[in-house]
Amino acid sequence: MIKLLAINKKFEDRNVLNNISATFYKGKCNFVIGASGCGKSVLMKCMVGLLTPDSGSISFDQRDFVSMDYEGKKSLRQEIGMLFQGTALFDSLSVEDNIAFPLRTFTNLNETEIIERVNFCLNRAHLVKINKLMPSQISGGQKKRVGIARAIALNPKYLFCDEPNSGLDPLTSRVIDHLIKEITEEYGITTIINTHDMKSLFEVGDNIIFIHQGNKWWEGDKTQIRQSGNKELLDFMNASEF
Ligand SMILES: Nc1ncnc2c1ncn2[C@@H]1O[C@H](COP(=O)(O)OP(=O)(O)OP(=O)(O)O)[C@@H](O)[C@H]1O
Ligand SMILES: [Mg+2]
């Protein structure tokens, strides 16, 4: 479980996140939704330590991340898998080497064990026989799956996905949604997904936080959205092709 308490973040003198408190649950796909520029990626970057909030606390299963020292943060980061907006694979590394990268960087596994783990993760992402291909030789959907395989390489407790469906066709998007959901439930991961894809939310979303102009505007589960009476949320939902 991840808990945010009163997170604030400003750039120059512009508030981007205002007093955001939220809870993200284990074994669930926790969605953060909202219009472009509302602050989803900034919030996620604060949670993984790429940005530091101006105030507030972020706790990972009761461990306060913001106040941790460098070593503490480094070790907690190894429990975090991240699927970036875009795919962010290393273009000069093969699929196999992309997935092996975190294993080579953070573990003492030998090469045989590394390749075994790579194959396990590839298999888990429903990919076979593409070990030696370069990212430029595979499709967008396959790249996302390689990204997922890499994100789960270290057996993460927490998985962050920033717009996992961006640039994918609707069918491939559903495949990716279900893959993330399957992995989340199977390994009991606390998964956070930023998106404006309402289809994705209705397909696999468990808990939802709606951000409007840097404020947490609504939270609940998907069955409550239509009856929420929340104008901005309903406008947001109705504006998406869905
Ligand atoms: N490093 C930065 N310096 C200054 N402003 C920033 C920085 N990063 C983000 N912002 C601003 O913070 C606001 C929120 O950006 P953010 O990337 O979190 O939006 P988002 O909700 O993820 O949007 P999208 O759906 O388009 O990805 C934007 O106005 C953006 O310009
Ligand atoms: Mg974003």
Side-chain angles (χ1 to χ4, degrees):
M1 179 190 284
I2 304 174
K3 267 183 182 277
L4 306 181
L5 192 64
I7 298 293
N8 286 287
K9 178 74 186 168
K10 57 164 84 165
F11 290 109
E12 314 279 294
D13 52 2
R14 202 164 67 85
N15 289 334
V16 171
L17 299 175
N18 299 310
N19 218 29
I20 300 228
S21 297
T23 303
F24 302 106
Y25 300 93
K26 182 176 168 10
K28 303 280 181 205
C29 287
N30 301 274
F31 273 66
V32 177
I33 60 171
S36 196
C38 73
K40 302 182 294 297
S41 293
V42 170
L43 184 65
M44 192 169 272
K45 285 177 188 161
C46 288
M47 293 173 73
V48 300
L50 290 170
L51 289 171
T52 308
D54 300 325
S55 59
S57 79
I58 302 171
S59 68
F60 288 75
D61 294 302
Q62 277 95 45
R63 296 169 295 171
D64 184 38
F65 187 54
V66 180
S67 64
M68 261 177 204
D69 61 11
Y70 174 79
E71 285 303 319
K73 282 189 173 147
K74 195 172 151 200
S75 112
L76 199 140
R77 278 210 198 93
Q78 291 174 39
E79 299 176 14
I80 294 176
M82 176 111 203
L83 186 65
F84 293 94
Q85 197 162 354
T87 50
L89 296 179
F90 303 114
D91 285 338
S92 58
L93 297 182
S94 67
V95 163
E96 180 173 285
D97 288 338
N98 260 282
I99 301 166
F101 186 83
L103 298 164
R104 292 188 179 126
T105 310
F106 293 115
T107 73
N108 296 319
L109 296 177
N110 66 36
E111 264 314 287
T112 313
E113 292 164 330
I114 286 175
I115 299 307
E116 257 172 38
R117 180 75 191 153
V118 167
N119 286 331
F120 173 85
C121 295
L122 275 171
N123 200 30
R124 200 60 207 75
H126 308 304
L127 289 167
V128 278
K129 295 189 181 155
I130 64 162
N131 296 49
K132 303 296 176 199
L133 296 181
M134 301 303 286
S136 60
Q137 297 173 296
I138 60 177
S139 72
Q142 284 175 316
K143 281 185 198 160
K144 288 281 180 192
R145 289 200 239 178
V146 173
I148 293 172
R150 187 177 61 184
I152 62 169
L154 293 173
N155 231 337
K157 286 194 185 143
Y158 315 99
L159 179 62
F160 290 87
C161 306
D162 200 358
E163 310 275 357
N165 294 330
S166 61
L168 299 180
D169 67 70
L171 277 180
T172 309
S173 296
R174 298 297 77 80
V175 172
I176 298 297
D177 289 340
H178 284 284
L179 176 59
I180 293 172
K181 175 92 167 165
E182 251 171 62
I183 289 170
T184 297
E185 290 180 347
E186 188 173 334
Y187 302 113
I189 302 174
T190 303
T191 296
I192 292 134
I193 300 174
N194 280 354
T195 195
H196 16 78
D197 183 347
M198 294 303 279
K199 269 202 173 128
S200 174
L201 179 132
F202 278 98
E203 193 92 10
V204 298
D206 292 311
N207 305 296
I208 298 143
I209 285 166
F210 172 60
I211 299 186
H212 177 63
Q213 296 175 353
N215 301 288
K216 186 177 81 177
W217 212 245
W218 186 84
E219 70 185 315
D221 76 50
K222 59 190 171 195
T223 60
Q224 301 165 328
I225 293 183
R226 288 198 171 86
Q227 290 79 41
S228 67
N230 186 305
K231 182 181 179 312
E232 290 75 17
L233 173 62
L234 292 170
D235 285 350
F236 175 74
M237 187 182 81
N238 292 331
S240 43
E241 357 159 343
F242 158 77

